[in-house]
Amino acid sequence: MFYSENITDHITCRLSELKMNVPTTKAPTANSTTLKRPTEPPQPASVCSYHSVLPEDALEVEQLKESIAWPETPSLPSNFSLNDTSGPAHSTFTILPRNSGGGWRVGDQLEVLIQITDFHGRPKSSGGDVLLARLHNPTLFAGVAGRVLDHHNGSYTAVFSLLWEGSAHVEVTLVHPSEAVTVLERITQQNPGRVSLKGIFRSGSVTEATACNVCLKAPPEKLCNFTDIRTGEPWFCYKPKKLKCEDRVIHSFGGFGLKLKPMEDQLFQRGVNMKVLIQSSGPSNITILPKLKVLNETVPTNTSGGSVNAQPAGYYYHGIWRALDGTTVHQLTNNSAISQCLSGKVLHLYGDSTIRQWFEYLISAAPDLKKFDLKSRTQTGPFMALNYAKNILVTFRCHAPPIRFGNLPVSQARYIANELDGLVGGENTAIVIGVWSHFSTFPVEVYIRRLLSIRRAVERLLTRAPGTLVIIRTANPKALSLYETLTNSDWFSIQRDKILRTIFKGVNVRFVDAWEMTLAHYLPHNLHPQRPIISNMLNVVLSHICSPAGNFTETKKL
């Protein structure tokens, strides 16, 4: 995962009151230079209330935006050559020797120097490339994510914690060249509406569809304002010609439309410069020896001397996730264990399809959880599952727009903050929240606003019902095509992941680090990780629920 030295440690937020006036955003002046932050307003004059913040929120928003500031990336002339851009063909990584000499041991940190070149083999002199790194052992089904530090000169350092004995193989992946980031920054600023979202209005036999978004190119009088009264979350649709605003019945995904500039698609080629492994200039494997022990005391071992700490959330060993935050991860993989863990509990799942995947896993792994037919759409839900004998209730509800599901009844378009405010909570209630993927095509303020709204609701819930368990799912890397990149690139996910962690840092919530759990695993990246990864993620969730040290009253020890 990409590492920045300027990640904000903690930002204190205060409750923001709903702003009733929706300002008009003016078009920014065209600029040929590359911006460092992909968070400027879109160019056309629009109704964009998310650019307006209360004075007490302004500092926090700016600090959050600064925390994801990306190193400056090269500008792209209209006739640029792919050969002059970052490429994996001649780029290399080198395992650095152990600082104090001798063999590597469990507890050490391994540092790897990465040198990015262009397709001619010439070293790059600037940073900004998107890189992922992991250390793994296919035989042991072991793996851990590395942290990558950008030196802003074409070189990078990947740092890994050494956590198992035996061999370990270094793997470095170029996700995007820095020049591709330049394009992703531009389209985020200029084309926040590249995903088409619609409102379907219906009255009797008359049906109309109009475009909807957080920002629309029209004066307020030509728009239906569906800004949520309680949270202040903005949402607008163009007024239908025949029907009224109150006739909106469906929120719908209308497709994707964006044309890149000539040659820019060359920067997003699978197998060429997108999600491609970088080769080692020497050995790519090391052997990890046991820790040294003297008189039953472990002797501290030296790292290679770097200043960056890998600090992983956990690692895989024999295919099982081992958390490093003190959580004991139980293996709750069968119907009996899951039912015992959830006995007497209410589990509410809120978010996108990566959270819906968890609901689907639970009802398949625990057949005693019977899905109740709510006549809901397969993609959107809501869903409910019950185990009457064990007094278990599990629900799923997707988050409100922007969401790219096919059709979502407006009556079911609920904001998570409002749903949390409607819960009693308590010692036998667990909440899981996962919101990230559908916000990738919007300016980052949209995501910040949504998370601040959710965080405030979480804090209110924990104040009135401190025994409630709240678990946050992070983003995860995924397979990339050109379409996936322009809508949902790992680069977008990295930024939103940092914001998510920063906003909830210091709040009494648990995290499921889906990013590291996907990156460290031997299976390929996928927006919806494969079942072995999901099984490990749910083991973390259930272990938090059933942990004797947690907030829950445990009926029987596992």
Side-chain angles (χ1 to χ4, degrees):
M1 180 176 177
F2 191 88
Y3 172 76
S4 170
E5 291 180 297
N6 299 318
I7 297 177
T8 306
D9 284 336
H10 178 54
I11 302 169
T12 303
C13 77
R14 297 170 57 189
L15 179 63
S16 173
E17 299 295 332
L18 172 63
K19 294 206 72 170
M20 301 303 295
N21 297 325
V22 179
T24 300
T25 301
K26 296 182 179 179
T29 306
N31 192 336
S32 59
T33 61
T34 301
L35 298 175
K36 291 186 178 182
R37 281 190 272 113
T39 55
E40 299 302 322
Q43 288 189 347
S46 310
V47 171
C48 291
S49 66
Y50 61 81
H51 290 297
S52 176
V53 295
L54 291 175
E56 58 263 37
D57 285 337
L59 176 61
E60 179 180 9
V61 172
E62 286 305 309
Q63 288 177 318
L64 285 166
K65 289 159 66 175
E66 287 295 335
S67 76
I68 61 167
W70 201 258
E72 188 170 0
T73 56
S75 58
L76 283 174
S78 58
N79 60 342
F80 78 91
S81 169
L82 181 67
N83 288 331
D84 297 328
T85 66
S86 300
H90 300 285
S91 298
T92 60
F93 69 83
T94 304
I95 295 175
L96 299 178
R98 189 168 181 267
N99 188 48
S100 56
W104 298 102
R105 294 188 177 275
V106 172
D108 285 346
Q109 281 201 161
L110 176 71
E111 290 195 8
V112 172
L113 179 65
I114 306 165
Q115 180 64 58
I116 301 297
T117 70
D118 63 20
F119 282 87
H120 291 293
R122 298 173 298 195
K124 297 293 293 291
S125 58
S126 59
D129 301 288
V130 185
L131 299 166
L132 297 178
R134 72 165 177 156
L135 191 70
H136 67 114
N137 181 319
T139 304
L140 294 175
F141 296 101
V144 65
R147 293 169 69 89
V148 180
L149 175 67
D150 189 338
H151 299 297
H152 302 232
N153 60 3
S155 66
Y156 303 77
T157 299
V159 185
F160 305 91
S161 291
L162 304 186
L163 298 164
W164 64 83
E165 297 176 20
S167 67
H169 177 77
V170 175
E171 184 178 283
V172 178
T173 301
L174 175 67
V175 179
H176 293 306
S178 56
E179 292 80 6
V181 173
T182 300
V183 176
L184 294 175
E185 283 185 330
R186 192 196 76 240
I187 65 174
T188 301
Q189 298 160 24
Q190 298 179 359
N191 302 99
R194 58 191 180 276
V195 167
S196 172
L197 299 167
K198 299 187 299 183
I200 298 175
F201 299 76
R202 184 178 299 128
S203 179
S205 60
V206 180
T207 300
E208 290 185 69
T210 69
C212 303
N213 215 306
V214 223
C215 269
L216 289 177
K217 305 173 190 176
E221 61 269 18
K222 293 188 177 182
L223 299 176
C224 294
N225 186 348
F226 297 115
T227 298
D228 184 67
I229 294 175
R230 295 183 64 185
T231 65
E233 292 286 347
W235 194 251
F236 304 96
C237 296
Y238 289 117
K239 282 185 177 179
K241 294 180 180 179
K242 299 178 182 179
L243 301 178
K244 300 177 181 179
C245 291
E246 54 262 36
D247 294 326
R248 184 176 68 126
V249 292
I250 296 290
H251 166 80
S252 179
F253 172 55
F256 171 78
L258 174 68
K259 291 184 179 179
L260 294 174
K261 294 180 179 180
M263 298 175 61
E264 286 184 344
D265 60 336
Q266 295 183 30
L267 296 170
F268 305 98
Q269 300 182 69
R270 284 187 295 184
V272 177
N273 55 8
M274 186 168 69
K275 285 270 177 133
V276 182
L277 291 176
I278 291 174
Q279 300 303 309
S280 172
S281 62
S284 58
N285 292 281
I286 64 167
T287 299
I288 306 172
L289 303 173
K291 282 186 177 180
L292 287 175
K293 291 187 178 181
V294 178
L295 298 176
N296 296 320
E297 294 294 330
T298 300
V299 176
T301 53
N302 296 323
T303 70
S304 55
S307 59
V308 182
N309 195 309
Q311 297 177 334
Y315 67 104
Y316 288 104
Y317 191 72
H318 294 309
I320 294 173
W321 181 255
R322 298 184 175 189
L324 294 175
D325 64 354
T327 302
T328 299
V329 181
H330 300 288
Q331 300 308 297
L332 307 172
T333 56
N334 58 56
N335 180 42
S336 175
I338 294 173
S339 297
Q340 179 180 317
C341 173
L342 293 178
S343 180
K345 309 294 194 299
V346 176
L347 173 60
H348 295 297
L349 307 172
Y350 298 107
D352 53 33
S353 60
T354 64
I355 292 295
R356 184 190 69 217
Q357 186 182 17
W358 288 10
F359 178 89
E360 294 164 348
Y361 174 88
L362 277 174
I363 62 175
S364 66
D368 285 352
L369 266 175
K370 304 294 185 183
K371 185 177 178 181
F372 189 84
D373 187 3
L374 296 174
K375 310 300 180 185
S376 304
R377 289 175 167 86
T378 303
Q379 241 190 345
T380 62
F383 302 130
M384 176 189 295
L386 299 164
N387 181 332
Y388 287 101
K390 295 284 188 179
N391 193 28
I392 301 169
L393 170 65
V394 180
T395 70
F396 164 79
R397 182 175 290 279
C398 69
H399 65 73
I403 199 159
R404 297 194 292 270
F405 291 157
N407 288 295
L408 173 65
V410 170
S411 62
Q412 298 298 338
R414 313 278 184 84
Y415 288 93
I416 293 175
N418 292 340
E419 292 295 297
L420 296 179
D421 282 339
L423 295 178
V424 175
E427 291 185 349
N428 291 309
T429 300
I431 312 294
V432 173
I433 300 170
V435 178
W436 59 282
S437 178
H438 294 253
F439 288 81
S440 295
T441 61
F442 297 91
V444 75
E445 290 95 336
V446 179
Y447 189 55
I448 292 174
R449 184 175 206 148
R450 181 64 54 88
L451 289 188
L452 287 177
S453 170
I454 293 171
R455 177 175 131 162
R456 289 160 181 158
V458 167
E459 291 175 328
R460 290 192 292 271
L461 174 61
L462 294 177
T463 297
R464 68 177 181 271
T468 310
L469 176 66
V470 180
I471 300 171
I472 307 294
R473 184 202 194 278
T474 73
N476 61 262
K478 63 193 71 65
L480 294 179
S481 61
L482 178 59
Y483 166 79
E484 284 291 336
T485 298
L486 299 182
T487 58
N488 219 17
S489 166
D490 284 352
W491 182 69
F492 295 132
S493 299
I494 287 171
Q495 294 178 311
R496 278 138 191 82
D497 193 67
K498 288 181 181 178
I499 287 172
L500 173 72
R501 294 169 192 265
T502 302
I503 284 179
F504 281 98
K505 186 175 182 180
V507 182
N508 185 23
V509 300
R510 313 292 206 282
F511 284 93
V512 174
D513 201 317
W515 187 273
E516 287 196 21
M517 294 184 77
T518 303
L519 178 57
H521 204 273
Y522 64 86
L523 287 170
H525 300 168
N526 196 308
L527 174 62
H528 301 108
Q530 294 184 41
R531 193 173 178 86
I533 301 176
I534 295 301
S535 176
N536 276 287
M537 290 179 179
L538 264 298
N539 278 332
V540 175
V541 171
L542 296 172
S543 295
H544 284 314
I545 291 175
C546 303
S547 171
N551 292 333
F552 277 34
T553 302
E554 188 176 345
T555 57
K556 186 177 179 181
K557 236 177 186 180
L558 294 175

